[in-house]
Amino acid sequence: MVGQIQRPHVAVLAVLLCWLTGGLSIPDPRLRETLIQLENSMQTGGNVMLSNAEKQLDSLLLKMKEEEMNRTHFPPAMHFFKARDLIRTSPLFKVLHRMPKGAVLHLHDFAMVDVEWLVKNVTYRPHCFICFTDNQSIRFIFSSQWPKARPRCSPWNLLEKLRAQSVNATHLDNSIMNNLTLFTDKDPETVYPSQSEIWYHFEQTFQAVLGLVTFVPVFRDYYSRGLSLMYVDSIMYLELRALLPELYELDGSSYNTSYTLKTYQEITKQFTAENPGFFGARIIFTIHRGANESEVVQAVEKAMTLQRDFPDIMAGFDLVGREDAGRPLWYFRDALSLPAEKRVKLPFFFHAGETDLEGTDVDQNLLDALLFNTSRIGHGFALLRHPLAKELSRTRDVAVEVCPISNQVMKLVKDLRNHPAAVLMSENHPLVISSDDPAAFGTSGLSYDFYEAFVGFGGRKSNLGTLKQLAINSIRYSSLDPSEQEQALVLWQKTWDKFVSENTF
Ligand SMILES: *[C@@H]1O[C@H](CO)[C@@H](O)[C@H](O)[C@H]1NC(C)=O
Ligand SMILES: *[C@@H]1O[C@H](CO)[C@@H](O)[C@H](O)[C@H]1NC(C)=O
Ligand SMILES: *[C@@H]1O[C@H](CO)[C@@H](O)[C@H](O)[C@H]1NC(C)=O
Ligand SMILES: *[C@@H]1O[C@H](CO)[C@@H](O)[C@H](O)[C@H]1NC(C)=O
Ligand SMILES: *[C@@H]1O[C@H](CO)[C@@H](O)[C@H](O)[C@H]1NC(C)=O
Ligand SMILES: *[C@@H]1O[C@H](CO)[C@@H](O)[C@H](O)[C@H]1NC(C)=O
Ligand SMILES: *[C@@H]1O[C@H](CO)[C@@H](O)[C@H](O)[C@H]1NC(C)=O
Ligand SMILES: *[C@@H]1O[C@H](CO)[C@@H](O)[C@H](O)[C@H]1NC(C)=O
Ligand SMILES: [Zn+2]
């Protein structure tokens, strides 16, 4: 087990520094070495003891990292869309892919499965209709009858027929695929010149995916594939932020939120039973922050009911969507106080501080999230600019869910060496690494984000101890109760030991 490290006592440092300046003009090299060691030990995983086998693997990893740093084009300094192939083909990535990474704690429901599968598998199923919006986007529905027209969308086309009539079906498929993800082979800076433009496209991809994935049979396959994509990336557990939309059948009938949650539960159980190295999944019910107050009140009430009726799978509640464009948490204070007022348990997992605009109402979300006793902080990109929020997050052990690739693609930071989590990781602030919306960013699982964290803002200093601590953090900061966490850690340790023994020579 790994505990929180102690921050070195300021008094000790003062004494050391006195000694340092005690008459000598050249500082004592032994003192210098002590200080360097001390500072290194302050980072995430800085106090993790490595076995001999782990030390061997650590040297191997550091050599691989050096190779990455020696490249002419340093991947963490590049836009991820351009760096993806460089990362994927690197020897280091292959190790990270096999490394047991623990849990994904920040992941959204309809961006967990690759869009290639959506196009090549889902849109080829029978009864799939498509329409084209007046904003150059697309919408889908499965229906046994000709569906009712949608406002601001062309008449529905049966996709099968459209494909048969099209001159080049591959071209059509590519254009559908481009509508379902942000990833592009073109220059991302040109395609997405500003934060508002990329957020607009991002929300459009969700709208386009929605009609495909809320069809009951597709929903089941989608989630099941989502779980296996995590599992093959050596992830054992996840907490999924889910909108829990109504699911529908071919005849147009639909089910309510409880059914959606029950389906998640059933498929999770089945997947966990079939894959002994997998621990499970829980759901954080979310609503879009563009909602008005009465809608959020209703959502919180629904969340309390679901939390009561499905305590095993329900982890809590959150608001999603662009913070800068939506209302701040404080605007919803009445709704968010309902659980405390009614003495009902509803843990919060707020997105907060996913902004680079200091001093706005939205920028106060970090402090407000903590005032509302959030269990974790989604992104916390602005945390360094809020010393009090940062201190509270540390002392209350409220972990920050750091999503490096998401922050870069959504234009908060260009060069990932400059990500604020570089600071947080250098001082072992409670944090986990996560992937947010892998399908939108052209990633899968967690390994790409681990690469950026380890090579980019981890720099030369982060080592195998860091990676091990990050994996342990992901279980320790999950919503699992203490006894489940112990079980999960035992399972993780088993796969970790196997991984270490297979990688050393
Ligand atoms: C990286 O480059 C340095 C300086 O050119 C060289 O000494 C070192 O061996 C290289 N490391 C690797 C792992 O290629
Ligand atoms: C589509 O996906 C389902 C579920 O993963 C699978 O059973 C089926 O074989 C796939 N079909 C095609 C045509 O790839
Ligand atoms: C269509 O696009 C315009 C400009 O990008 C935007 O302002 C508008 O909200 C969009 N309409 C819909 C329905 O998304
Ligand atoms: C069909 O479109 C794809 C993608 O746009 C292109 O690569 C391919 O050459 C086209 N095929 C034909 C026969 O035109
Ligand atoms: C979405 O699909 C439409 C219709 O095929 C196409 O005109 C548009 O360019 C696509 N949008 C993107 C972002 O690829
Ligand atoms: C969903 O419908 C079922 C009955 O079909 C009902 O028991 C349940 O309370 C409903 N759930 C919600 C969240 O409305
Ligand atoms: C909130 O939104 C709902 C649904 O869009 C709408 O029916 C309702 O009138 C709105 N309430 C207020 C107070 O704006
Ligand atoms: C937050 O936790 C404190 C201490 O347990 C409690 O007094 C307060 O009511 C909680 N606030 C909310 C909004 O849940
Ligand atoms: Zn998110």
Side-chain angles (χ1 to χ4, degrees), residues 102-105 107 112 223-224 226-228 230 235-242 261-273 275 277-284 310-316 376 478-480 484 488:
V104 181
L105 298 185
L107 179 69
M112 71 185 294
Y223 179 54
S224 180
L227 292 179
S228 50
M230 298 301 147
I235 290 157
M236 62 185 287
Y237 171 76
L238 55 108
E239 289 185 358
L240 188 66
R241 282 172 165 85
L261 190 56
K262 260 192 250 172
T263 308
Y264 273 125
Q265 186 166 35
E266 186 194 318
I267 290 167
T268 306
K269 264 198 191 133
Q270 192 184 331
F271 189 87
T272 311
N275 299 282
F278 193 73
F279 195 76
R282 301 188 81 203
I283 301 293
I284 297 167
F310 301 91
D312 292 341
I313 186 114
M314 266 289 283
R376 295 193 299 264
S478 74
S479 70
L480 295 168
E484 290 168 322

Side-chain angles (χ1 to χ4, degrees), residues 133-137 139 151-152 196-197 200-201 204 207:
T133 73
D134 56 12
N135 264 12
Q136 282 93 50
S137 183
R139 301 290 181 264
R152 306 196 52 186
S196 26
E197 267 163 282
Y200 172 74
H201 283 282
Q204 288 296 316
Q207 294 299 320

